[in-house]
């Protein structure tokens, strides 16, 4: 069961003789399944079981049912939808409550009707059954598919579409599997491509639950959701709305201003309805919506209200109408401020760019936001078109005299981004930004900040981390919204560089402020907020703070759940976290799928980081050849966030080299330390020297003074532990057996296993922890295994390496390990 705590509570509620419980929850949350599991568990423990009766049709509640339960022994009665029972059937059930030996489990959407009568009886307990949380959804899907884990991107998409509804999730997953849309590797399952079709079973279920008139209402809501405007809400019959809400298809929420908001309960249901709506019907509905809003406006100017004109534009475009350029431009400005509906925003940009009345300013804004959408969605055709629109607009907007304004500067930055990321032409991009920075010397401060931020980020994205400086030094202006938005990319670059310097508190403070400011002013969250949250995670992860990195990962997952684009950042963080925990099998299989995803679409260019994480996991699993190949690919990245975090990438590939016992480990570590020293990255230099010491212990005595200096410059406990470990290595103590080594393992810095190709992946993970002195119980909890399974793996390890117990295992490590 995916709700084990709730199941335990229900079972406890039924243990008393003649007990009765009611499971209350919305349509499709799995109440009947939970009831069945509770009864099955109790029935399996019963020595006098005589009957288990499940009633799914209220017409089956008859005197014959009562007679069938009038037998000796324990009996269980499961009743579906008791809140829908007529008075007579409810009275029959009420008479059964308290019958010796009979336990009753009923389900209901609300406490009303028959549920009210049952709940009024003394001793009857109620349990709320909510929809799945995302972690519960993953456990359920794993049970359903017989797998160990679900790829995070796939899981987030399924969860967003179903809102964790048990029935919808079941139908969606099963339909995807039946259509051949799932792939698996080493226990990890993922959706090969996000399908647009919906399960036939779900379509049948929806059509069964509503009338033809109600389907028309659903089509109206699908075209206009969320509906907050009174004129549009009046188009819906109250009786129909009430029934559709009751059926769990629509939701009505109260807004802060006292109004209401009508939308689908689950996005998947909206997909079902859209699939049932032909193009002509869709145009007809949108024309009605457009005309209703326009009539309500009367003679007022639509552009005076951003939301109203945006709605008019949305309905008008779907209805195939030609709209005034002023409406389109106003709608785009409104959507940019709110950061909403990227698909509609992109369509508006395209229409503006082709509009005969569009001026240069309107064309420039369309080009900028079309380019943003293209980057996050991986639409190369749109990106190329946006670049051409931008070039046209830039030639018209270029100031003849004076400094450029904010729009012209933003346009030039976007053109440079295309040149660097899509064309790979860093020379052209840097030249464009250098010219813009020179021209902006007398511009408004926000313009200067945005240009400096873009140029600094471009250099950092090319790996020139020494060039990253502060864009703002006046702390009193730190919380001004326009300033923070203008320096978004400087916040990304400076966060990552500060973390590599070991200034972790300042790094996370910078990204946290930036992501908070991004959520203000109604801008909402999106890929940029996800990137900033990822930077916060990277800072905690690189500092070796397990609890902080775990919390940051949870926050990143929450942001990613609201972001419909596939940036891969939360997935990458999960790979890094798995490596830190010593879950190398999980890290390797998740990295494999992530790299496949990023090969198709990698808006922030983090694939080299994913490759580095994959190299480390492969090395820890003993796959030397594959690890060395991944190292070579990871270190050839030329642009992007991966190079902003170049020091983090190189420390991962250095650790992978160390695990692989590569002959060049010490030399590469020395070169990395020298580079880090030149770019003033103390944390990176510290880790590189540590790895050099593990590969070449004789070099440590002369490096200890430098290590002491570096440890003093890094504001994380891991720095002092690294220094202590290097001192221990300098006295020729075994690398993995010292007190500092075990502390480093808790920080995610594991000492390498000996080369042992005879051990399986799981055996390698368990033997390392056992050699470090962790108990079988601790190892079992750490890897979500049973103690018996851990002991079995250890026996296999002892046999394969010729030892008989943990002491001999430690001796084997002492003899065979790197630095041992």
């Amino acid at each position: 069961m995916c709700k084990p705590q709730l199941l335990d509570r229900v079972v406890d509620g039924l243990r008393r003789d003649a007990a009765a419980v009611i499971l209350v929850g919305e349509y499709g949350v799995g109440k009947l399944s939970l009831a069945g599991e509770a009864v099955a568990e109790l029935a399996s423990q019963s020595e006098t079981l005589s009957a288990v009766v499940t009633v799914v049709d209220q017409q089956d509640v008859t005197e014959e049912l009562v007679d069938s339960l009038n037998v000796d022994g324990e009996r269980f009665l499961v009743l579906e939808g008791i809140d829908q029972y007529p008075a007579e059937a409810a009275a029959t059930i009420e008479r059964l409550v308290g019958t010796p030996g009979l336990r009753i489990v009923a389900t209901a959407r609300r406490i009303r009707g028959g549920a009210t009568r049952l709940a009024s009886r003394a001793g009857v307990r109620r349990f709320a059954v909510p929809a799945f949380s995302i972690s519960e959804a993953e456990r359920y899907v794993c049970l359903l598919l017989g797998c160990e884990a679900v790829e995070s991107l796939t899981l987030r998409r399924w969860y967003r579409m179903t809102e964790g509804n048990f029935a919808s999730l079941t139908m969606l997953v099963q339909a995807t599997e039946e259509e051949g849309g799932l792939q698996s590797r080493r226990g990890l399952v993922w959706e090969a491509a996000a399908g647009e079709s919906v399960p036939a079973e779900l379509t049948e279920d929806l059509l069964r639950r509503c009338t033809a008139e109600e389907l028309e209402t659903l089509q109206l809501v699908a075209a206009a959701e969320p509906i907050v405007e009174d004129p549009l809400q009046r188009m819906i019959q109250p009786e129909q709305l009430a029934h559709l809400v009751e059926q769990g298809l629509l939701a009505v929420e109260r807004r802060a201003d006292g109004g209401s908001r009508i939308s689908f309960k689950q996005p998947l249901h909206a997909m079902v309805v859209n699939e049932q709506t032909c193009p002509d019907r869709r145009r007809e509905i949108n024309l009605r919506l457009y005309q209703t809003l326009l009539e309500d406006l009367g003679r007022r100017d639509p552009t005076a209200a951003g939301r109203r004109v945006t709605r008019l534009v949305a309905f008008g475009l779907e209805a195939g109408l030609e709209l005034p350029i002023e409406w389109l431009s106003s709608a785009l400005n409104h959507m940019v401020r709110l950061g909403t509906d990227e698909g509609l925003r992109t369509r508006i940009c395209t229409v503006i760019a082709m509009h005969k009345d569009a001026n240069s300013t309107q064309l420039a804004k369309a080009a900028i936001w079309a380019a943003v959408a293209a980057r996050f969605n991986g639409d190369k055709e749109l990106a190329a078109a946006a670049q051409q629109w931008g070039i046209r607009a830039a030639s018209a907007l270029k100031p003849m005299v004076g400094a450029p304004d904010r729009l012209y500067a933003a346009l030039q930055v976007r053109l440079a981004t295309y040149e660097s990321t899509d064309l790979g032409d860093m020379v052209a991009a840097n030249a464009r930004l250098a010219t813009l920075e020179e021209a902006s010397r007398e511009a408004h401060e926000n313009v200067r900040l945005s240009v400096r931020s873009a140029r600094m980020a471009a250099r950092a994205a090319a790996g020139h981390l020494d060039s990253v400086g502060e864009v703002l030094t006046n702390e009193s202006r730190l919380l001004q919204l326009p300033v923070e938005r203008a320096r978004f990319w400087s916040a990304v670059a400076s966060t990552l560089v500060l973390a590599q310097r070991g200034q972790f508190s300042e790094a996370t403070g910078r990204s946290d402020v930036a992501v908070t400011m991004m959520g203000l002013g109604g801008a909402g969250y999106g890929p940029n907020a996800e990137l900033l949250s990822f930077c916060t995670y990277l800072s905690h992860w690189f500092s070796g703070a397990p609890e902080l990195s775990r919390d940051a990962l949870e926050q990143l997952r929450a942001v990613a759940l609201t972001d419909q684009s596939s940036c891969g950042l939360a997935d990458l963080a999960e790979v890094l976290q798995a490596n830190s925990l010593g879950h190398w099998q999980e890290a390797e299989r998740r990295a494999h799928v992530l790299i496949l995803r990023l090969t198709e679409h990698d808006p922030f260019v983090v694939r080299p980081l994913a490759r580095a994480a994959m190299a480390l996991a492969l090395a820890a699993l003993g796959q030397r050849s594959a690890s060395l190949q991944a190292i070579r690919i990871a270190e050839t990245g030329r642009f992007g966030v991966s190079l902003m975090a170049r020091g983090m990438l190189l420390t991962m590939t250095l650790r992978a080299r160390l695990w692989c016992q590569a002959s060049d480990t010490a030399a590469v570590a020395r070169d990395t330390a020298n580079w880090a020293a030149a770019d003033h990255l103390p944390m990176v230099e510290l880790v590189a020297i540590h790895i050099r010491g593990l590969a070449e212990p004789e070099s440590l005595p002369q490096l200890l003074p430098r290590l002491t200096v570096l440890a003093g410059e890094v504001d994380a406990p891991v720095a002092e532990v690294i220094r202590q470990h290097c001192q221990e290595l300098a006295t020729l103590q075994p690398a993995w057996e010292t007190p500092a080594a075990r502390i480093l393992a808790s920080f995610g810095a594991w000492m390498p296993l000996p080369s042992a190709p005879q051990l399986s992946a799981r055996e390698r993970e368990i033997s390392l922890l056992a050699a470090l002195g962790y108990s079988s119980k601790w190892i079992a909890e750490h890897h979500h295994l049973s103690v018996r399974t851990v002991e079995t793996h250890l026996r296999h390890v002892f046999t394969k390496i010729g030892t008989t117990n943990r002491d001999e295992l430690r001796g084997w490590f002492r003899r065979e390990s790197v630095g041992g």
Side-chain angles (χ1 to χ4, degrees), residues 542 647 650-652 654-655 658 665-677 681-696 699-700 703 707 710 722 726:
F542 198 50
L650 292 177
T651 57
M652 278 195 287
L654 275 176
R655 292 192 190 282
L658 187 68
T665 301
V668 175
R670 182 190 62 241
D671 292 344
T672 302
N674 291 338
W675 165 78
L681 305 172
M683 182 64 185
V684 176
E685 185 183 357
L686 182 71
V687 175
I689 291 175
H690 180 218
I691 293 173
R692 179 184 175 187
L694 287 164
E696 190 180 66
S699 66
L700 276 175
L703 294 173
L707 281 166
L710 292 171
I722 289 175
C726 287

Side-chain angles (χ1 to χ4, degrees), residues 49 82 89 120 144 234 371 544 737:
L49 179 67
I82 194 172
S120 66
L144 196 63
R234 286 194 293 269
E737 198 178 17

Side-chain angles (χ1 to χ4, degrees), residues 526-592:
N528 285 348
E530 189 174 343
L531 176 58
L532 287 167
S533 296
F534 177 67
C535 291
T536 298
Y537 169 79
L538 278 181
S539 298
H540 290 308
W541 164 77
F542 198 50
S543 74
E547 293 184 3
L548 292 175
S549 61
R550 184 184 64 243
D551 293 343
L553 178 57
E554 289 303 316
Q555 293 173 7
L556 176 56
R557 284 171 174 157
V559 174
L561 190 58
T562 65
D563 179 17
Q564 306 245 353
S565 59
S566 306
C567 301
L569 301 178
D571 307 77
L572 176 54
E574 290 183 349
V575 173
L576 298 175
Q577 191 76 355
N579 268 339
S580 292
L581 294 172
H583 295 169
W584 298 301
Q585 286 186 95
E586 179 185 351
E588 187 275 335
R589 65 191 183 191
R590 288 190 182 277
H592 175 84

Side-chain angles (χ1 to χ4, degrees), residues 439-759:
S440 301
R441 289 184 181 277
E442 303 301 323
H444 186 277
E445 183 179 7
N446 285 357
V447 175
R448 297 199 309 273
L449 286 172
S450 64
V451 173
R452 288 173 59 192
S453 170
R455 191 162 189 216
M456 183 189 77
R459 287 185 56 77
H464 303 296
L465 304 188
D466 57 329
S467 67
V468 176
E470 294 296 328
V471 174
L472 285 180
T473 57
N474 187 348
E475 292 297 326
S476 65
R477 299 201 58 197
L478 186 63
L479 296 180
Q480 292 187 13
L481 187 58
V483 173
E484 284 301 315
R485 288 184 179 172
R487 66 182 206 141
F488 164 75
W489 275 107
S490 73
V492 172
S494 59
T495 296
L496 293 176
V497 171
L498 285 167
Q500 291 168 94
R501 289 177 181 172
Q503 297 170 245
F504 296 110
S505 297
E506 190 174 349
T508 55
R510 180 64 49 83
S511 57
D512 286 346
V513 166
V515 76
T516 299
M517 298 302 290
M518 187 163 291
L520 297 179
Y525 296 99
N528 285 348
E530 189 174 343
L531 176 58
L532 287 167
S533 296
F534 177 67
C535 291
T536 298
Y537 169 79
L538 278 181
S539 298
H540 290 308
W541 164 77
F542 198 50
S543 74
E547 293 184 3
L548 292 175
S549 61
R550 184 184 64 243
D551 293 343
L553 178 57
E554 289 303 316
Q555 293 173 7
L556 176 56
R557 284 171 174 157
V559 174
L561 190 58
T562 65
D563 179 17
Q564 306 245 353
S565 59
S566 306
C567 301
L569 301 178
D571 307 77
L572 176 54
E574 290 183 349
V575 173
L576 298 175
Q577 191 76 355
N579 268 339
S580 292
L581 294 172
H583 295 169
W584 298 301
Q585 286 186 95
E586 179 185 351
E588 187 275 335
R589 65 191 183 191
R590 288 190 182 277
H592 175 84
V593 179
L594 176 59
I595 290 168
L596 292 177
R597 300 280 196 199
L598 294 175
T599 301
E600 298 175 358
H601 178 48
D602 186 11
F604 292 122
V605 197
V606 295
R607 186 168 47 157
L609 272 174
R611 287 279 188 191
M614 168 78 106
L616 180 55
L618 288 168
L621 293 172
Q623 300 180 39
R624 186 176 189 277
S625 177
S627 176
L628 293 175
Q629 182 181 8
I631 290 171
R632 287 192 293 271
I633 298 173
E635 293 179 345
T636 57
R638 297 181 180 178
F639 187 81
V641 170
S642 288
L643 285 192
M644 290 185 184
R646 185 184 177 197
M648 299 177 184
L649 185 153
L650 292 177
T651 57
M652 278 195 287
T653 55
L654 275 176
R655 292 192 190 282
R657 280 188 167 89
L658 187 68
W659 279 80
C660 291
Q661 300 184 22
S663 58
D664 64 347
T665 301
V668 175
R670 182 190 62 241
D671 292 344
T672 302
N674 291 338
W675 165 78
D679 278 20
H680 187 54
L681 305 172
M683 182 64 185
V684 176
E685 185 183 357
L686 182 71
V687 175
I689 291 175
H690 180 218
I691 293 173
R692 179 184 175 187
L694 287 164
E696 190 180 66
E698 62 273 16
S699 66
L700 276 175
Q702 63 185 20
L703 294 173
L704 286 177
R706 179 60 180 166
L707 281 166
T708 301
V709 172
L710 292 171
E713 295 180 2
V714 173
D715 68 354
V718 68
E720 179 58 24
V721 180
I722 289 175
R723 187 192 66 79
Q724 292 174 7
H725 193 233
C726 287
Q727 284 186 323
E728 293 164 350
L729 293 175
T731 61
L732 303 182
Q733 295 184 55
W736 64 273
E737 198 178 17
T738 68
R742 181 161 174 169
I743 299 174
L744 285 174
S746 70
F747 289 151
W750 300 87
M751 295 303 105
L753 270 167
S755 176
Q758 69 271 37
L759 298 183

Side-chain angles (χ1 to χ4, degrees), residues 134-191:
I134 192 165
S135 58
E136 290 170 341
E138 180 174 24
R139 286 197 293 271
Y140 173 65
V141 172
C142 288
L143 288 172
L144 196 63
L145 297 176
C147 62
E148 295 180 15
V150 183
E151 182 220 11
S152 296
L153 181 63
T154 296
L155 180 65
R156 289 197 301 272
R157 177 177 178 274
W158 286 346
Y159 192 79
R160 273 197 303 262
M161 291 176 69
T162 64
E163 294 291 328
N165 182 274
F166 171 86
S168 297
L169 183 62
T170 302
M171 287 185 274
L172 177 61
V173 173
Q174 289 178 337
T176 305
E177 182 181 32
E178 290 168 2
E179 293 170 2
L182 295 181
Q183 294 186 15
S184 63
R185 181 176 184 270
R186 297 180 181 176
L188 179 69
V189 167
W190 69 94
E191 192 177 18

